[in-house]
Amino acid sequence: MSWSAFRRSLMFRLATISLLLLLIVQAAGFLVVRASIERNGRAQVAQGLDANERVWRRLIEQNAERLQQASTLLASDYGFRSAVNSGDADTIESVLYNHGARIGAAVTALLDTRMQLVVSSAADASADARAVLRGVLPALTEHPGGSQIAIVDGVPYQFVTVPLRAPLVIGWVLMGFPVGQALAAEMRQLQSVDVAIAVHTADGGVHVPVSTLPAGERERLAGFTGGGEIETDEGPVLVRAVPLDTVNGKASVLLLRSLDEVLAFYRHLQMLLAGITLAGVALFAIGFAVMARRVATPLRAVTVATQRLSRGDYAAPIEHTERTDEIGHLARSFDRMRIGIAEQQDEIRRLAHTDRLTGVPNRERFRRMLMEAIRHGIHTGEPLSVIALDLDRFKHVNGVLGYAMGDRLLQAVAARISSHLHAPREILARLGGNEFALMLPGADEAAARDTAQRITRAFESSLAFDDQTVDLSAGIGIACWPGPAEDADTLLSHAEIAMYAAKRRLHGAQVYDPSMASSSAAALSLLSELRHAVEAGELRLFLQPKLGLDGRAGCGAEALVRWQHPERGLVPPMQFIPFAEQTGFVRQLTLWVFEQAAVFLARPDVRALGLRISVNLSTRDLMDTELSARLGALMARHGVGPESFCLEITESAIMDDPARAEAMLNRLSAQGFKLSIDDFGTGYSSLAYLKRLPVDELKIDKSFVLGMAADTGDAQIVRSTIDLAHNLGLSVVAEGVETATILERLQALRCDEAQGYHIGRPMPAEDLLAWHAAADARK
């Protein structure tokens, strides 16, 4: 798979989304842990600084105690007191110097009882003790005794004063210890914390005389006396400011602890966690890739298999059906679908090329086999003959005995014809209805005539079905190749033309002769002219009114078509309607009539009359599976409803293919059309089948109506038909009403509607309105 195709795949999107979600979760966890570590680290540093502050204060206290003890020891020294009493300055200075040096005091001094300096000494011989004390002594003597811190030359000093008693107070011993680098270093050594002392100068600045930080970092502390955080070269440092209680000036001790030092261990753990996270993401990606490959590979195999299925290849099985997971279930389901579709396709192909009732090839398959036989004959020079035969009186048998018996009859006919075929290459096919055809490869005209004679003799024996015996005959036509026909369609057409000629002449099989096609040429010319008539507007809509015998002047009309030929004038319907039915063009005529009737009914002046127009449907119309949709589209286009139409169907149209006709009638009835059986009484439909049809009306054939006046049998048929229809809940229309006497008798028989020349001849649609007005006036 290419990278671009992989990027568009579902696996890639799932992996990308999963990895992004994992990274987001891990990043969020990483940030939460980092923030928690930062927070905990700062809290830990703050706690450490609390402890450091306590340690610092303890160091200051310890230093003060040491000075206090040393000063007390000095004040208790007898020799020192004697020197003080005697005023021996040299001795006093020497003792102060030696004693201060032993304890590391920077300054030692003797004060008189008025807290005035008597003698002073510095541990550093170069230091001027008087200079050290000059500025701070007044502040120190305000509260003699105890420990005090004072700023001397920018450096904080810790001083203690102890009374010199003998036994009365004869003076005060003062000792000073610098709070400086040594103490800061000690603090750094004890607590691993940096220490700096910030002293406020007289000009408002800040001086840092003492710090354990490097010189460059010390400069950052200038001006920083409060607590908080500063940024150093080593990272952030938290600062705790501990104020020094000084008697002059202002100073504070800054305790500094590096945050990075505290967080180093945790950050190491965090980096380890980050490494584990990245490793987990990598492992997840690898695992997902392996899983995706394991999932995507069989899915691609299924996809490839479905592509093969779409191309009609059902032979190759689906892979990975042995797996027990969902992929395996999917693969097995697709494989079962493949097998099912293959079986269905085989069945569809079989049904598409085989007559379902008889099991012999149908017209399409026969045509293809005929084409192959002609191609074979072109290369080998082998002759070929086609026999077409049409059963006589089959509709009569079908109507009287029922459709189940008709099906059995066709099966028996196919079996009987097949039994008289000798060569394996001879093929029997059912072209449709009760029409069969034979293909005889290698047979010339003489051989074809022999085969036709065998079939004719085969029909001389009756067909027995249970208690019924049926005698059948057939019209047989023969066409041979090479001959007038050059292709399969023409050859089959010639055989059918010869077959119809044989049915007209009623004697023996007929071999096709070109003279038989002259009528066919005329028919083709007529078909062309008829198509032109529709396009050129030469057709006219005529309406024959119907009279309601319940007192209504006019309740409807029957739509008829007339052809106004530009040269031949008004062409009689019998000259083109049967031809249109034979060629199938009658479907276009039906739609034309229906649309013209819809246009007429849509007129406001016609809507007010509440007319219902009857339109005739032929066999071809009922076989059109799109008929109901076409009629619905025409009604929607012109804004009329199905209640404005009555569709008339002859019994023969229903009997040609009863199942399909019944299905179409059911659809039309559900659509809202009124349905009528035309020419009732001339066909062979059974009452049981009539009851199943969704019809609303029976139309008595005019032959019975015309004979009512002279033939009591016809009158009885009309009466029985009316009673039968009313008992079935149907209305009755009588056509062929030529006299007032017939009209009166129909009224007496409770016929619902009548139609005929006595009531009104077929007239142009415009004239129907005038007829209707005149009929209303005669009431």
Side-chain angles (χ1 to χ4, degrees), residues 45-86:
V45 170
Q47 292 175 359
L49 291 173
D50 290 340
N52 298 149
E53 182 179 351
R54 290 192 296 271
V55 171
W56 170 260
R57 293 186 184 277
R58 184 57 182 160
L59 283 176
I60 295 296
E61 291 173 359
Q62 288 178 351
N63 196 47
E65 289 174 0
R66 184 163 56 86
L67 291 175
Q68 189 79 26
Q69 291 172 359
S71 298
T72 302
L73 181 62
L74 178 61
S76 301
D77 184 86
Y78 177 79
F80 180 69
R81 284 185 296 178
S82 297
V84 171
N85 283 330
S86 62

Short mmCIF file of all heavy atoms in Angstrom, two decimals, residues 45-86:
data_model
loop_
_atom_site.label_atom_id
_atom_site.label_comp_id
_atom_site.label_asym_id
_atom_site.label_seq_id
_atom_site.Cartn_x
_atom_site.Cartn_y
_atom_site.Cartn_z
N VAL A 45 11.58 23.25 50.28
CA VAL A 45 12.59 24.29 50.48
C VAL A 45 12.15 25.24 51.58
O VAL A 45 12.95 25.66 52.44
CB VAL A 45 12.84 25.04 49.16
CG1 VAL A 45 13.71 26.28 49.41
CG2 VAL A 45 13.52 24.12 48.15
N ALA A 46 10.85 25.59 51.58
CA ALA A 46 10.35 26.49 52.62
C ALA A 46 10.50 25.86 54.00
O ALA A 46 10.90 26.53 54.97
CB ALA A 46 8.88 26.82 52.33
N GLN A 47 10.19 24.55 54.09
CA GLN A 47 10.38 23.87 55.37
C GLN A 47 11.86 23.86 55.76
O GLN A 47 12.22 24.05 56.94
CB GLN A 47 9.83 22.44 55.28
CG GLN A 47 8.33 22.37 55.14
CD GLN A 47 7.84 20.94 54.94
OE1 GLN A 47 8.64 20.00 54.89
NE2 GLN A 47 6.52 20.79 54.84
N GLY A 48 12.74 23.63 54.77
CA GLY A 48 14.18 23.65 55.05
C GLY A 48 14.64 25.02 55.53
O GLY A 48 15.47 25.14 56.45
N LEU A 49 14.08 26.05 54.89
CA LEU A 49 14.45 27.40 55.31
C LEU A 49 13.94 27.72 56.72
O LEU A 49 14.59 28.46 57.48
CB LEU A 49 13.91 28.43 54.31
CG LEU A 49 14.59 28.43 52.93
CD1 LEU A 49 13.88 29.38 51.97
CD2 LEU A 49 16.07 28.80 53.05
N ASP A 50 12.80 27.14 57.04
CA ASP A 50 12.32 27.29 58.42
C ASP A 50 13.33 26.71 59.40
O ASP A 50 13.69 27.32 60.44
CB ASP A 50 10.96 26.62 58.61
CG ASP A 50 9.86 27.37 57.88
OD1 ASP A 50 10.06 28.55 57.58
OD2 ASP A 50 8.79 26.76 57.62
N ALA A 51 13.80 25.53 59.07
CA ALA A 51 14.80 24.89 59.94
C ALA A 51 16.10 25.68 59.93
O ALA A 51 16.77 25.85 60.99
CB ALA A 51 15.04 23.46 59.49
N ASN A 52 16.49 26.17 58.75
CA ASN A 52 17.73 26.95 58.66
C ASN A 52 17.64 28.23 59.50
O ASN A 52 18.62 28.65 60.14
CB ASN A 52 18.02 27.31 57.21
CG ASN A 52 18.23 26.09 56.33
OD1 ASN A 52 17.93 26.11 55.15
ND2 ASN A 52 18.74 24.99 56.90
N GLU A 53 16.43 28.83 59.47
CA GLU A 53 16.26 30.04 60.27
C GLU A 53 16.44 29.73 61.76
O GLU A 53 17.08 30.50 62.50
CB GLU A 53 14.88 30.65 60.00
CG GLU A 53 14.63 31.94 60.76
CD GLU A 53 13.27 32.52 60.45
OE1 GLU A 53 12.58 32.01 59.52
OE2 GLU A 53 12.87 33.47 61.14
N ARG A 54 15.85 28.61 62.17
CA ARG A 54 15.99 28.25 63.58
C ARG A 54 17.44 27.96 63.91
O ARG A 54 17.95 28.36 64.99
CB ARG A 54 15.12 27.03 63.89
CG ARG A 54 13.62 27.32 63.86
CD ARG A 54 12.84 26.17 64.46
NE ARG A 54 12.99 24.95 63.68
CZ ARG A 54 12.20 24.60 62.66
NH1 ARG A 54 11.22 25.42 62.32
NH2 ARG A 54 12.40 23.48 62.01
N VAL A 55 18.16 27.30 63.02
CA VAL A 55 19.58 27.02 63.26
C VAL A 55 20.38 28.32 63.33
O VAL A 55 21.28 28.50 64.18
CB VAL A 55 20.13 26.08 62.16
CG1 VAL A 55 21.65 25.95 62.28
CG2 VAL A 55 19.48 24.71 62.26
N TRP A 56 20.08 29.24 62.46
CA TRP A 56 20.79 30.52 62.45
C TRP A 56 20.59 31.27 63.76
O TRP A 56 21.53 31.77 64.36
CB TRP A 56 20.31 31.37 61.27
CG TRP A 56 20.81 32.78 61.33
CD1 TRP A 56 20.15 33.88 61.75
CD2 TRP A 56 22.12 33.22 61.01
NE1 TRP A 56 20.93 34.99 61.68
CE2 TRP A 56 22.17 34.60 61.22
CE3 TRP A 56 23.27 32.55 60.53
CZ2 TRP A 56 23.31 35.35 61.01
CZ3 TRP A 56 24.40 33.31 60.29
CH2 TRP A 56 24.41 34.69 60.53
N ARG A 57 19.33 31.32 64.15
CA ARG A 57 19.06 32.01 65.42
C ARG A 57 19.79 31.31 66.58
O ARG A 57 20.28 31.96 67.51
CB ARG A 57 17.56 32.06 65.68
CG ARG A 57 16.82 32.94 64.69
CD ARG A 57 15.35 33.07 65.06
NE ARG A 57 14.62 33.83 64.06
CZ ARG A 57 14.57 35.15 64.01
NH1 ARG A 57 15.26 35.86 64.88
NH2 ARG A 57 13.88 35.76 63.06
N ARG A 58 19.86 29.96 66.48
CA ARG A 58 20.56 29.23 67.54
C ARG A 58 22.05 29.55 67.51
O ARG A 58 22.70 29.67 68.57
CB ARG A 58 20.33 27.73 67.37
CG ARG A 58 20.95 26.89 68.48
CD ARG A 58 20.43 27.32 69.84
NE ARG A 58 21.05 26.56 70.90
CZ ARG A 58 21.10 26.93 72.16
NH1 ARG A 58 20.55 28.10 72.53
NH2 ARG A 58 21.68 26.18 73.09
N LEU A 59 22.61 29.70 66.30
CA LEU A 59 24.03 30.05 66.21
C LEU A 59 24.29 31.43 66.83
O LEU A 59 25.29 31.64 67.54
CB LEU A 59 24.49 30.06 64.74
CG LEU A 59 24.73 28.69 64.09
CD1 LEU A 59 25.08 28.87 62.61
CD2 LEU A 59 25.85 27.95 64.80
N ILE A 60 23.40 32.37 66.54
CA ILE A 60 23.56 33.71 67.13
C ILE A 60 23.46 33.62 68.65
O ILE A 60 24.25 34.25 69.39
CB ILE A 60 22.49 34.66 66.56
CG1 ILE A 60 22.70 34.88 65.06
CG2 ILE A 60 22.48 35.99 67.31
CD1 ILE A 60 24.00 35.58 64.75
N GLU A 61 22.51 32.83 69.13
CA GLU A 61 22.36 32.68 70.58
C GLU A 61 23.60 32.03 71.19
O GLU A 61 24.08 32.44 72.26
CB GLU A 61 21.11 31.87 70.88
CG GLU A 61 19.81 32.60 70.55
CD GLU A 61 18.61 31.69 70.72
OE1 GLU A 61 18.79 30.50 71.08
OE2 GLU A 61 17.46 32.16 70.47
N GLN A 62 24.10 30.97 70.49
CA GLN A 62 25.29 30.29 71.02
C GLN A 62 26.50 31.24 71.05
O GLN A 62 27.30 31.25 71.99
CB GLN A 62 25.61 29.05 70.17
CG GLN A 62 24.64 27.91 70.38
CD GLN A 62 24.97 26.72 69.49
OE1 GLN A 62 25.81 26.83 68.60
NE2 GLN A 62 24.32 25.59 69.75
N ASN A 63 26.61 32.03 70.03
CA ASN A 63 27.72 32.99 69.98
C ASN A 63 27.60 34.01 71.11
O ASN A 63 28.59 34.38 71.77
CB ASN A 63 27.74 33.69 68.63
CG ASN A 63 29.05 34.40 68.37
OD1 ASN A 63 30.12 33.82 68.57
ND2 ASN A 63 28.98 35.65 67.92
N ALA A 64 26.35 34.44 71.33
CA ALA A 64 26.14 35.39 72.43
C ALA A 64 26.45 34.76 73.78
O ALA A 64 27.06 35.38 74.67
CB ALA A 64 24.70 35.90 72.38
N GLU A 65 26.03 33.50 73.94
CA GLU A 65 26.31 32.80 75.19
C GLU A 65 27.82 32.65 75.41
O GLU A 65 28.34 32.81 76.52
CB GLU A 65 25.64 31.43 75.18
CG GLU A 65 24.12 31.50 75.28
CD GLU A 65 23.48 30.13 75.12
OE1 GLU A 65 24.23 29.14 74.92
OE2 GLU A 65 22.23 30.03 75.15
N ARG A 66 28.54 32.35 74.31
CA ARG A 66 29.99 32.19 74.42
C ARG A 66 30.64 33.51 74.83
O ARG A 66 31.52 33.55 75.70
CB ARG A 66 30.55 31.70 73.09
CG ARG A 66 32.04 31.42 73.10
CD ARG A 66 32.39 30.56 71.90
NE ARG A 66 31.99 31.17 70.66
CZ ARG A 66 32.74 32.05 69.99
NH1 ARG A 66 33.89 32.40 70.47
NH2 ARG A 66 32.31 32.55 68.86
N LEU A 67 30.17 34.57 74.18
CA LEU A 67 30.71 35.88 74.57
C LEU A 67 30.34 36.23 76.01
O LEU A 67 31.12 36.82 76.77
CB LEU A 67 30.19 36.95 73.61
CG LEU A 67 30.73 36.91 72.16
CD1 LEU A 67 30.04 37.96 71.32
CD2 LEU A 67 32.23 37.12 72.15
N GLN A 68 29.08 35.89 76.34
CA GLN A 68 28.64 36.18 77.70
C GLN A 68 29.48 35.45 78.73
O GLN A 68 29.91 36.01 79.75
CB GLN A 68 27.17 35.78 77.85
CG GLN A 68 26.52 36.23 79.15
CD GLN A 68 26.12 37.70 79.10
OE1 GLN A 68 25.88 38.25 78.05
NE2 GLN A 68 26.09 38.34 80.24
N GLN A 69 29.77 34.18 78.43
CA GLN A 69 30.57 33.37 79.36
C GLN A 69 32.00 33.91 79.44
O GLN A 69 32.60 34.01 80.54
CB GLN A 69 30.58 31.91 78.91
CG GLN A 69 29.23 31.23 79.07
CD GLN A 69 29.22 29.84 78.44
OE1 GLN A 69 30.23 29.41 77.88
NE2 GLN A 69 28.10 29.15 78.57
N ALA A 70 32.54 34.27 78.30
CA ALA A 70 33.92 34.79 78.29
C ALA A 70 33.99 36.12 79.04
O ALA A 70 34.94 36.38 79.80
CB ALA A 70 34.41 34.94 76.87
N SER A 71 32.99 36.95 78.81
CA SER A 71 32.98 38.24 79.50
C SER A 71 32.81 38.05 81.00
O SER A 71 33.44 38.73 81.82
CB SER A 71 31.84 39.11 78.94
OG SER A 71 32.03 39.36 77.57
N THR A 72 31.94 37.13 81.37
CA THR A 72 31.73 36.85 82.80
C THR A 72 33.00 36.30 83.43
O THR A 72 33.37 36.67 84.56
CB THR A 72 30.58 35.86 82.96
OG1 THR A 72 29.38 36.41 82.35
CG2 THR A 72 30.31 35.57 84.43
N LEU A 73 33.67 35.43 82.68
CA LEU A 73 34.93 34.86 83.19
C LEU A 73 35.97 35.96 83.38
O LEU A 73 36.69 35.99 84.39
CB LEU A 73 35.45 33.78 82.22
CG LEU A 73 36.75 33.08 82.61
CD1 LEU A 73 36.58 32.33 83.96
CD2 LEU A 73 37.21 32.12 81.52
N LEU A 74 36.02 36.87 82.45
CA LEU A 74 36.98 37.97 82.55
C LEU A 74 36.65 38.87 83.74
O LEU A 74 37.51 39.32 84.49
CB LEU A 74 37.01 38.76 81.23
CG LEU A 74 37.94 39.98 81.19
CD1 LEU A 74 39.39 39.55 81.42
CD2 LEU A 74 37.80 40.70 79.86
N ALA A 75 35.34 39.15 83.88
CA ALA A 75 34.93 40.02 84.98
C ALA A 75 35.16 39.38 86.34
O ALA A 75 35.28 40.08 87.35
CB ALA A 75 33.44 40.36 84.80
N SER A 76 35.23 38.07 86.34
CA SER A 76 35.44 37.36 87.62
C SER A 76 36.92 37.19 87.96
O SER A 76 37.26 36.70 89.04
CB SER A 76 34.75 35.99 87.54
OG SER A 76 33.38 36.12 87.28
N ASP A 77 37.74 37.53 86.99
CA ASP A 77 39.19 37.34 87.20
C ASP A 77 39.68 38.34 88.27
O ASP A 77 39.50 39.56 88.13
CB ASP A 77 39.94 37.52 85.89
CG ASP A 77 41.43 37.23 86.06
OD1 ASP A 77 41.78 36.02 85.95
OD2 ASP A 77 42.20 38.18 86.24
N TYR A 78 40.32 37.82 89.31
CA TYR A 78 40.76 38.66 90.44
C TYR A 78 41.83 39.65 89.99
O TYR A 78 41.78 40.82 90.34
CB TYR A 78 41.27 37.75 91.57
CG TYR A 78 41.82 38.54 92.74
CD1 TYR A 78 40.94 39.12 93.70
CD2 TYR A 78 43.20 38.74 92.90
CE1 TYR A 78 41.46 39.85 94.77
CE2 TYR A 78 43.69 39.47 93.99
CZ TYR A 78 42.81 40.01 94.89
OH TYR A 78 43.32 40.75 95.96
N GLY A 79 42.78 39.15 89.24
CA GLY A 79 43.87 40.01 88.79
C GLY A 79 43.36 41.17 87.95
O GLY A 79 43.86 42.29 88.03
N PHE A 80 42.38 40.84 87.09
CA PHE A 80 41.81 41.87 86.23
C PHE A 80 41.09 42.91 87.05
O PHE A 80 41.23 44.11 86.81
CB PHE A 80 40.86 41.23 85.21
CG PHE A 80 40.23 42.22 84.29
CD1 PHE A 80 40.99 42.88 83.34
CD2 PHE A 80 38.88 42.56 84.38
CE1 PHE A 80 40.42 43.82 82.49
CE2 PHE A 80 38.33 43.49 83.55
CZ PHE A 80 39.09 44.11 82.57
N ARG A 81 40.37 42.44 88.11
CA ARG A 81 39.67 43.38 88.95
C ARG A 81 40.67 44.25 89.73
O ARG A 81 40.46 45.44 89.95
CB ARG A 81 38.74 42.66 89.93
CG ARG A 81 37.46 42.14 89.25
CD ARG A 81 36.51 41.53 90.24
NE ARG A 81 37.12 40.36 90.83
CZ ARG A 81 36.54 39.63 91.78
NH1 ARG A 81 35.36 39.97 92.25
NH2 ARG A 81 37.16 38.57 92.28
N SER A 82 41.75 43.59 90.17
CA SER A 82 42.78 44.36 90.90
C SER A 82 43.37 45.43 90.00
O SER A 82 43.63 46.56 90.43
CB SER A 82 43.86 43.41 91.40
OG SER A 82 43.33 42.47 92.30
N ALA A 83 43.65 45.07 88.74
CA ALA A 83 44.21 46.03 87.79
C ALA A 83 43.25 47.16 87.55
O ALA A 83 43.67 48.32 87.41
CB ALA A 83 44.55 45.32 86.49
N VAL A 84 41.96 46.83 87.52
CA VAL A 84 40.95 47.88 87.32
C VAL A 84 40.92 48.80 88.52
O VAL A 84 40.87 50.03 88.41
CB VAL A 84 39.57 47.25 87.06
CG1 VAL A 84 38.49 48.32 87.08
CG2 VAL A 84 39.56 46.51 85.72
N ASN A 85 41.00 48.17 89.74
CA ASN A 85 40.94 48.99 90.95
C ASN A 85 42.18 49.90 91.05
O ASN A 85 42.09 51.03 91.53
CB ASN A 85 40.84 48.09 92.18
CG ASN A 85 39.41 47.53 92.35
OD1 ASN A 85 38.44 48.18 91.97
ND2 ASN A 85 39.29 46.35 92.89
N SER A 86 43.30 49.30 90.61
CA SER A 86 44.55 50.09 90.73
C SER A 86 44.73 51.05 89.58
O SER A 86 45.66 51.83 89.56
CB SER A 86 45.75 49.13 90.83
OG SER A 86 45.85 48.37 89.64
#
